[in-house]
Amino acid sequence: MSFGFPLSKGTLTDVQTLSLRQHGIELDTNLTAVAYWHDKSIRWIQCQAIVCQSGAIELCNRTRLLCARVPSLVNKVDDTSKPTELFSHPKHDLSITVDLQLKGSTTPLKFVLHRHDISSNPLTQQYISDGHFEFADQQLNIQLSVIVCDYTDEISIILRAHNPNAAAHQGGKWDLGDPNSLYINDLSIVFSANHTQASVDVMDEYVPTTQHNNHCHAQGEFKLTQFGSGGRHWQSPIHWDKNRRSSVTKRGFELCVGNDRVFQGMRAQPQLTLCSIPQANIHNNKNISFTLEMEDFWQNFPTSLS
């Protein structure tokens, strides 16, 4: 069995003092620290061990129990006022959370975290987080997969959302408004990095690259929104909702800074950059930069970046 363990800041600095126990017996274990806090204490531990199918697995530091885990059912209900961190970069101060808002709902949704798994090979490390948002008698399953290349620091992020409730298809028809449908207002991947400034470069794929007006740069409080496909049939009936109203309000995209629209076009292909801001009274400031590219941004409308 292989899984990941998160630790609070300042809890531990050396995995050599740790052991895994099940039913009171110490297991043959391979423990590896894969991420650290700024104070050099361990943030994530990769645990590998041969375990029984049932029974809690205890992570101990020889003198006291740090935490416990049950392989068959590992649930953590987070405080709804705090987003659940699903990934933290093993080298840099970058974390990823997922936010969900349903149409017509103002109540924060609980997120139940099932597992964190870490696997690696000589080139990459893969982090997988599984869980679900719960509300009333329904839920939305979430899986976040992050692959980090150790040599280039490139990161691949894949978010999957799945509604486990089967559609009723009353009368054998695929009608909009099925009782088990979920109406999502916003499903976001949130990147957090301390002391950084964000900027975005946007290219309009609808305009030939030979034209000078096919791209724009913005920074600060910006928001890029792709409303529709940008094509001729952007008002097609395929975009109707259950009330036969189009869910597409505009043809292409808009880039706004504050309340001002600075650029508009048809099909946006953005590149987001997070650059560190030098801090006063801190020696050896490192200039760290993250560049994020989103595949098929305009194809997955409606979507936004801010």
Side-chain angles (χ1 to χ4, degrees):
M1 180 179 183
S2 177
F3 54 89
F5 254 125
L7 293 177
S8 301
K9 187 176 181 180
T11 302
L12 196 71
T13 58
D14 185 7
V15 296
Q16 300 299 323
T17 64
L18 297 179
S19 66
L20 288 181
R21 296 179 184 176
Q22 188 176 34
H23 304 301
I25 301 174
E26 186 169 328
L27 304 174
D28 290 333
T29 308
N30 180 26
L31 302 175
T32 306
V34 294
Y36 293 86
W37 294 96
H38 287 308
D39 64 353
K40 297 184 179 180
S41 61
I42 298 173
R43 190 170 187 172
W44 277 97
I45 299 174
Q46 181 182 7
C47 306
Q48 295 175 314
I50 299 176
V51 302
C52 298
Q53 291 184 348
S54 63
I57 299 176
E58 300 172 344
L59 178 64
C60 305
N61 71 345
R62 311 295 184 187
T63 59
R64 62 188 176 92
L65 177 68
L66 291 179
C67 43
R69 186 179 182 105
V70 181
S72 59
L73 184 61
V74 184
N75 285 348
K76 175 184 175 185
V77 180
D78 287 339
D79 183 352
T80 56
S81 63
K82 298 179 181 179
T84 302
E85 181 181 285
L86 298 183
F87 169 78
S88 59
H89 196 285
K91 294 181 181 179
H92 309 304
D93 186 18
L94 175 69
S95 63
I96 298 176
T97 60
V98 176
D99 286 344
L100 173 67
Q101 294 180 2
L102 297 181
K103 287 187 176 180
S105 175
T106 58
T107 304
L109 300 178
K110 290 183 179 180
F111 186 82
V112 180
L113 181 63
H114 295 278
R115 68 177 179 124
H116 274 304
D117 277 352
I118 304 174
S119 59
S120 61
N121 59 45
L123 295 178
T124 63
Q125 294 192 51
Q126 183 176 22
Y127 303 77
I128 297 180
S129 298
D130 282 322
H132 71 266
F133 287 98
E134 60 180 20
F135 37 91
D137 58 345
Q138 291 182 294
Q139 69 181 46
L140 183 68
N141 294 341
I142 295 292
Q143 183 184 83
L144 182 73
S145 174
V146 181
I147 301 175
V148 180
C149 180
D150 293 331
Y151 292 93
T152 65
D153 270 353
E154 291 183 353
I155 302 176
S156 172
I157 301 171
I158 300 174
L159 176 67
R160 294 184 174 92
H162 172 65
N163 179 2
N165 298 312
H169 301 312
Q170 297 180 2
K173 298 180 180 179
W174 286 73
D175 289 337
L176 295 174
D178 188 276
N180 284 333
S181 295
L182 298 176
Y183 298 97
I184 297 175
N185 185 53
D186 181 73
L187 178 60
S188 301
I189 301 177
V190 182
F191 301 91
S192 301
N194 293 329
H195 310 303
T196 57
Q197 183 180 50
S199 63
V200 65
D201 291 278
V202 182
M203 183 179 69
D204 188 352
E205 291 191 348
Y206 200 79
V207 179
T209 56
T210 55
Q211 297 188 21
H212 70 279
N213 62 340
N214 75 326
H215 65 276
C216 182
H217 174 84
Q219 63 183 30
E221 298 295 327
F222 63 82
K223 183 175 183 179
L224 172 66
T225 305
Q226 182 77 43
F227 297 97
S229 66
R232 293 180 300 168
H233 304 293
W234 66 278
Q235 290 182 311
S236 169
I238 197 173
H239 304 307
W240 286 358
D241 61 17
K242 63 180 181 180
N243 298 316
R244 301 177 67 85
R245 297 174 183 171
S246 177
S247 60
V248 180
T249 58
K250 297 181 181 180
R251 179 176 177 178
F253 70 87
E254 290 182 353
L255 175 62
C256 297
V257 177
N259 296 323
D260 299 326
R261 185 177 63 194
V262 297
F263 188 51
Q264 62 180 344
M266 297 302 172
R267 294 175 173 174
Q269 184 55 48
Q271 184 180 77
L272 176 68
T273 302
L274 298 175
C275 289
S276 58
I277 302 174
Q279 300 297 300
N281 302 322
I282 297 180
H283 299 290
N284 299 323
N285 272 323
K286 294 183 179 180
N287 185 16
I288 300 174
S289 176
F290 300 99
T291 300
L292 306 173
E293 294 186 1
M294 283 130 282
E295 293 184 357
D296 302 329
F297 179 84
W298 68 264
Q299 292 93 328
N300 289 310
F301 68 90
T303 185
S304 64
L305 175 67
S306 60

